[in-house]
Amino acid sequence: MIKRIQKFFMENGLEANDARAEAEFLVCGISGFSIEEIITGCAIQNEDEIWALARKRVETGAPIQHLTGFSYFMGDKFFVNSDVLIPRPETEILVQKAVDIARNTGKNPAGGDLKILDIGTGTGCIAIEISKNLPEFNCADNTCGLTGCGAETAGGRTLEVIGIDISTAALRIAIKNMEALEQQRRVVFRKSDIFSSIYEDEKFDIIVSNPPYIPLSLKDTLDDNVKNFDPHLALFAGDKDGVEFYRRILEGAKKHLKPNGYVLFELGFTNGISQSGIVSEIARKQGFDLKFIEKDLSKIDRVICFQLH
Ligand code: GLN
């Protein structure tokens, strides 16, 4: 069935690799079988449903994830719709790095409890996966009544991840994902325009963000798939370099970081130039040290980490 759907997508203008990837996503996602199970001949029960979605994909041009209502990130299923950015594989690097830093910070006896802020959380994928990948930390709230929490493990380190977004519609999806992936113990979502709803004295060990980084002026150069279906609130920055949000976050971060706290960003690139140079310069002026830059599989600077000194 995967081959037939791939062929159908290719006949309707999709490039071979994309057609294959989307066909696999659709058939596996809707049938509930893995690719191995399908290749070894498991009987798919819902072929009609799958074909209906394939036809809709071709007719509307909408991303396949909007039609199925879900996507995958770090191996987990996330609800998506047109109010949120579909999680991208590059963002997994950001989560992995944040988890590594949290673990190291966690080993520091002076470190106390961990608080992490995810700015522009969208589907909540970053906040939720950071929490999921740090199972050794307890929740900050000893009233949740779950095993491993609060008074019972009072000596243990706690973790709280706060995900914020300016979009109420995005927060609805994030909350749904948090519940489905059972991270309510340690993840909280809040409506906030960057730091607007962060309390004056609220301080974090790590601030992460994959902010909108495409300059509005480049709108017409984007793939139709992105331009017509991803929420513009999640894509575009107002300035010519696309660094408006990095700047606003770095300016406010000093006040909301604990001493030696970290800022981790996913970066974009505009006109073929990575934003790492210009973002580093803004960070330096705000009193941050550059800790590292991580490239993605295409050798593009993708994640950047700063520490407050
Ligand atoms: N944090 C979300 C993600 O990485 C949304 C990012 C955004 O909307 N710019 O997928």
Side-chain angles (χ1 to χ4, degrees):
M1 185 172 198
I2 292 177
K3 278 222 171 77
R4 278 181 288 140
I5 290 190
Q6 178 186 13
K7 186 161 165 277
F8 173 66
F9 283 158
M10 285 169 70
E11 285 163 0
N12 285 282
L14 262 77
E15 180 273 320
N17 287 334
D18 290 345
R20 174 76 195 183
E22 292 199 20
E24 276 183 18
F25 171 84
L26 186 56
V27 176
C28 294
I30 300 295
S31 70
F33 289 125
S34 67
I35 187 83
E36 292 78 17
E37 286 168 329
I38 287 170
I39 290 167
T40 52
C42 274
I44 297 170
Q45 303 298 322
N46 35 12
E47 289 212 9
D48 290 350
E49 187 187 344
I50 294 171
W51 272 109
L53 288 168
R55 279 191 293 274
K56 214 166 163 193
R57 165 76 180 93
V58 165
E59 280 157 23
T60 61
I64 192 73
Q65 296 90 337
H66 284 183
L67 301 175
T68 58
F70 60 78
S71 186
Y72 295 96
F73 183 72
M74 299 194 77
D76 285 319
K77 212 170 189 173
F78 280 79
F79 296 109
V80 300
N81 65 14
S82 56
D83 294 319
V84 291
L85 196 75
I86 299 165
R88 310 290 205 258
E90 303 85 74
T91 307
E92 297 187 359
I93 307 172
L94 179 67
V95 171
Q96 204 49 61
K97 290 289 157 194
V99 166
D100 291 348
I101 291 176
R103 279 226 164 94
N104 284 328
T105 314
K107 279 186 207 137
N108 171 4
D113 293 333
L114 265 188
K115 246 180 115 134
I116 300 179
L117 177 67
D118 173 26
I119 299 181
T121 199
T123 52
C125 64
I126 298 174
I128 292 166
E129 287 298 333
I130 288 177
S131 166
K132 239 195 121 195
N133 282 278
L134 288 168
E136 66 270 38
F137 287 87
N138 296 318
C139 82
D141 173 5
N142 66 2
T143 60
C144 76
L146 292 167
T147 314
C149 275
E152 192 187 334
T153 52
R157 314 283 311 277
T158 70
L159 168 68
E160 185 176 27
V161 188
I162 298 183
I164 57 162
D165 208 291
I166 194 172
S167 158
T168 309
L171 289 169
R172 272 194 207 108
I173 295 285
I175 289 167
K176 223 170 133 186
N177 283 321
M178 171 186 76
E179 287 172 356
L181 294 165
E182 299 182 336
Q183 297 305 304
Q184 306 87 306
R185 285 172 57 192
R186 295 183 306 193
V187 179
V188 177
F189 291 110
R190 211 186 276 172
K191 186 175 165 90
S192 186
D193 179 9
I194 312 203
F195 295 107
S196 69
S197 305
I198 301 299
Y199 307 116
E200 281 290 301
D201 57 351
E202 203 169 9
K203 293 200 189 289
F204 298 88
D205 296 86
I206 306 173
I207 296 177
V208 293
S209 185
N210 174 24
Y213 52 59
I214 304 171
L216 198 53
S217 56
L218 293 183
K219 188 167 147 191
D220 293 333
T221 66
L222 293 181
D223 276 1
D224 280 351
N225 215 351
V226 173
K227 189 172 61 190
N228 298 340
F229 296 100
D230 276 322
H232 288 189
L233 206 54
L235 294 177
F236 297 115
D239 60 323
K240 76 170 179 20
D241 298 311
V243 297
E244 171 195 357
F245 291 98
Y246 298 105
R247 188 187 303 280
R248 286 176 59 193
I249 293 169
L250 285 164
E251 282 168 4
K254 279 183 294 185
K255 190 170 143 201
H256 291 292
L257 277 175
K258 296 182 191 170
N260 305 317
Y262 294 87
V263 175
L264 272 141
F265 287 130
E266 180 168 331
L267 295 167
F269 68 107
T270 48
N271 304 317
I273 302 167
S274 164
Q275 291 168 324
S276 55
I278 177 158
V279 173
S280 302
E281 191 48 30
I282 299 169
R284 195 183 57 76
K285 286 196 182 130
Q286 292 294 331
F288 289 90
D289 291 330
L290 174 62
K291 292 304 280 183
F292 62 80
I293 296 177
E294 193 74 18
K295 292 186 188 299
D296 64 14
L297 291 174
S298 320
K299 303 263 178 293
I300 294 169
D301 289 352
R302 187 55 77 178
V303 169
I304 197 159
C305 176
F306 302 105
Q307 190 174 22
L308 197 60
H309 66 226

